[in-house]
Amino acid sequence: MREVQAFGTYYRSNGHLCRKAAYLQFGHSCESIGSTIMLNPGKANFKDDIHVLDDREVSGEIVPDKTMLRLAEILQQASKIPLDGRFHIYNLFSLQNTSSKDAVKQDSWLKEATLKNIDIINQFQLEQHPWVLLAWSTEKGATLQKLKEQWLTVIEESNIKVFGVKAKGKNMFYHPYPRISTHKERYLQEIIEQIQTE
C-alpha cells in the first residue's frame, strides 16, 4: 500500500472523546478525491501524545484504524493513477465508540448531533466532493434516521455521486469493513467496481 496519512480533529464533551472531522491524505494536494459518511468514529487516535482534555478542538495526525486502512485500500485499488488529495471521513454523530450497537443507544448524543452537524454539513458542501460513499451501517432508530435524512438532503442538493453497498431497509448501507469475514472481500470489490465504473 502506498503511503497514506490520517488526520483528525477531536474534542471532549461531558467526559467523552469525540471526533469532529477526519481525512486520509494521499500525496500533497488539499483537493478532495472523495468522501464517506459513516456511523460514528472508531478507535483511531493521535499519533503523538496529544491529550484532549476539554471542549477545545485539537487537530493532528492520527494512527489509522482498520476501517481507515480499508478505505485507503479501496481508493488505491480503484485508482489507475497515484492518488493525490484528501479523502474526507464524516460521521452521523461524533461520539467515539468501536461498538455500533452500543453507540446508537446513546440517544442524547444522536439528538445533539442533529444540531452540531449543521457546521459539519456546511463544511461538507464547501469541500466540493466528487462523490460520497455511504457506509453508515444498518443500525436503526428514529433519531438515526433523521440524521441520515439530514445528510441525504444535502447530498441531493449538491448533486454528488453516491456509492455504497445497499442493505435491506430504508437508507441502509453496509460498513466497508464488516465484522463477518466472508463479506469483507465482496464489499471491497463491489465498492471498487462502483468507483471504477464512474
Side-chain angles (χ1 to χ4, degrees):
M1 184 180 293
R2 293 189 289 272
E3 184 66 25
V4 60
Q5 292 176 287
F7 296 87
T9 300
Y10 292 80
Y11 65 94
R12 282 198 181 275
S13 181
N14 295 323
H16 296 278
L17 187 61
C18 301
R19 191 179 77 205
K20 180 180 178 181
Y23 64 88
L24 300 177
Q25 178 70 54
F26 299 88
H28 303 287
S29 174
C30 295
E31 289 189 16
S32 171
I33 57 176
S35 60
T36 186
I37 306 171
M38 311 194 88
L39 183 67
N40 70 301
K43 64 179 183 179
N45 215 328
F46 288 115
K47 187 173 183 178
D48 297 321
D49 191 22
I50 301 173
H51 299 285
V52 183
L53 300 175
D54 52 33
D55 59 358
R56 288 176 297 176
E57 295 177 2
V58 179
S59 300
E61 187 173 357
I62 59 180
V63 178
D65 58 19
K66 289 181 180 179
T67 296
M68 289 179 171
L69 293 175
R70 170 50 57 102
L71 289 169
E73 182 181 4
I74 289 169
L75 292 165
Q76 291 173 333
Q77 287 194 32
S79 179
K80 294 178 181 178
I81 60 173
L83 296 167
D84 188 27
R86 293 178 177 179
F87 182 77
H88 294 259
I89 302 169
Y90 300 92
N91 297 100
L92 293 181
F93 62 106
S94 60
L95 177 65
Q96 191 170 27
N97 191 323
T98 55
S99 168
S100 59
K101 293 193 180 298
D102 181 56
V104 296
K105 292 176 184 176
Q106 314 296 323
D107 198 52
S108 61
W109 287 95
L110 297 177
K111 288 177 179 175
E112 180 183 306
T114 59
L115 298 174
K116 286 199 169 185
N117 273 0
I118 293 172
D119 287 341
I120 296 171
I121 286 173
N122 286 339
Q123 185 63 36
F124 172 86
Q125 290 177 297
L126 288 172
E127 295 290 351
Q128 298 184 323
H129 304 294
W131 54 268
V132 60
L133 170 69
L134 299 184
W136 50 42
S137 85
T138 56
E139 299 296 337
K140 300 176 182 178
T143 310
L144 202 59
Q145 180 60 27
K146 186 177 179 181
L147 286 167
K148 291 177 183 179
E149 289 171 357
Q150 192 178 32
W151 276 101
L152 288 169
T153 298
V154 173
I155 290 168
E156 187 175 342
E157 289 172 353
S158 304
N159 197 29
I160 300 172
K161 288 186 178 73
V162 175
F163 303 136
V165 182
K166 191 84 171 68
K168 290 181 180 178
K170 188 178 181 182
N171 299 329
M172 298 290 192
F173 289 87
Y174 288 120
H175 190 283
Y177 196 70
R179 294 184 185 276
I180 301 173
S181 58
T182 54
H183 293 172
K184 287 178 182 177
E185 185 62 24
R186 180 166 67 87
Y187 292 1
L188 172 73
Q189 294 306 322
E190 188 169 334
I191 296 169
I192 288 171
E193 186 176 333
Q194 287 178 29
I195 296 170
Q196 288 180 332
T197 301
E198 290 298 324

